[in-house]
Amino acid sequence: MNAYLFLGADKAQKDAQIGEIKKRFLPSRESREFDYELLYGHKLDSDTFKKSLLALPAVTAQRVILLRECDKLIPHNRELLFEFLRQKNDNVVVILESETMEPGDSFTAALKPYVKVVDLGAPAVKNVFDMMRWVGMRKPSEALMILFQLISAGTNPLQILGGIVWSWGRSRDRLPARRFQQGLEAMQEADLSIKRSRLKPEYALELLVVKLCSL
């Protein structure tokens, strides 16, 4: 069975190497149409995943499944994956991909006996503007994760707040006037809380991010 695990944030390099694998196993347009499937770990239900793993190739000798964000598989889907890999099914080529997993992770270590690991560098460092993209989509969990990374890395809280204010100002034309104004008021409150030591800076920023996501 052919199985690969691509790690790292170098998307261009990963896509180039994944493309070469696809060309090798799926040489024709017809094969790429009928025997290739793209899945995403964060929104993959177990029934769909199981059917994909068990499906037989229609045109070529092997199907190719590209599973992006494999680190976000739920525990049951991880078990399905391991069960399938242990069977060494020759009908399917499995390509796993993750930006956040590292060679020393427990999930990576568990996969190593079954896959060829291709490490293309450390995960990209996230910034305030990455966080604000999640705020714009009203996704507080994802936004807070980046906030915690920034704080843990020692980024000055006022620098983070400045980035939030700048990013919010840039989105003025895309936001309803009331939401935009409420966001400015929330930022002013956070600024005062930090400068007057009403709250710990990290708590003030966390509260601000949650408020902006809820507006």
Side-chain angles (χ1 to χ4, degrees), residues 171-196:
S171 64
R172 179 171 193 160
D173 293 339
R174 301 192 301 271
L175 295 174
R178 179 169 173 75
R179 184 185 179 197
F180 180 78
Q181 183 60 36
Q182 288 176 327
L184 291 180
E185 292 169 0
M187 291 171 206
Q188 185 178 33
E189 183 179 349
D191 184 52
L192 290 173
S193 294
I194 293 172
K195 289 179 178 177
R196 297 180 181 179

Side-chain angles (χ1 to χ4, degrees), residues 29-190:
R29 183 180 61 80
E30 188 179 26
S31 64
R32 290 190 291 274
E33 181 178 350
F34 291 101
D35 287 330
Y36 170 68
E37 190 166 6
L38 172 61
L39 304 172
Y40 288 87
H42 74 282
K43 56 183 179 182
L44 183 59
D45 68 85
S46 297
D47 287 340
T48 298
F49 191 31
K50 192 170 184 178
K51 288 177 183 177
S52 297
L53 293 173
L54 296 178
L56 295 174
V59 177
T60 52
Q62 294 169 300
R63 297 179 68 243
V64 174
I65 296 175
L66 172 57
L67 175 56
R68 292 198 180 273
E69 301 176 350
C70 66
D71 51 290
K72 296 181 181 178
L73 287 172
I74 61 174
H76 181 60
N77 284 347
R78 291 191 181 194
E79 286 303 314
L80 287 175
L81 176 61
F82 281 121
E83 181 182 348
F84 181 76
L85 292 173
R86 284 192 290 265
Q87 293 173 359
K88 300 181 178 179
N89 190 323
D90 291 330
N91 291 322
V92 180
V93 176
V94 176
I95 306 172
L96 308 173
E97 182 274 335
S98 171
E99 286 191 13
T100 59
M101 286 168 60
E102 297 183 4
D105 290 349
S106 58
F107 189 27
T108 306
L111 286 167
K112 278 183 178 179
Y114 310 104
V115 302
K116 177 183 178 182
V117 179
V118 182
D119 184 8
L120 295 173
V125 177
K126 302 294 185 181
N127 57 41
V128 174
F129 309 111
D130 295 316
M131 180 183 75
M132 291 303 291
R133 279 194 285 272
W134 289 114
V135 168
M137 292 184 280
R138 291 189 170 97
K139 297 283 188 178
S141 297
E142 290 83 353
L144 287 172
M145 187 178 300
I146 297 177
L147 174 62
F148 296 151
Q149 290 173 358
L150 292 170
I151 292 171
S152 300
T155 309
N156 186 295
L158 288 176
Q159 183 181 348
I160 296 174
L161 181 59
I164 293 173
V165 172
W166 186 88
S167 181
W168 193 258
R170 296 274 292 179
S171 64
R172 179 171 193 160
D173 293 339
R174 301 192 301 271
L175 295 174
R178 179 169 173 75
R179 184 185 179 197
F180 180 78
Q181 183 60 36
Q182 288 176 327
L184 291 180
E185 292 169 0
M187 291 171 206
Q188 185 178 33
E189 183 179 349

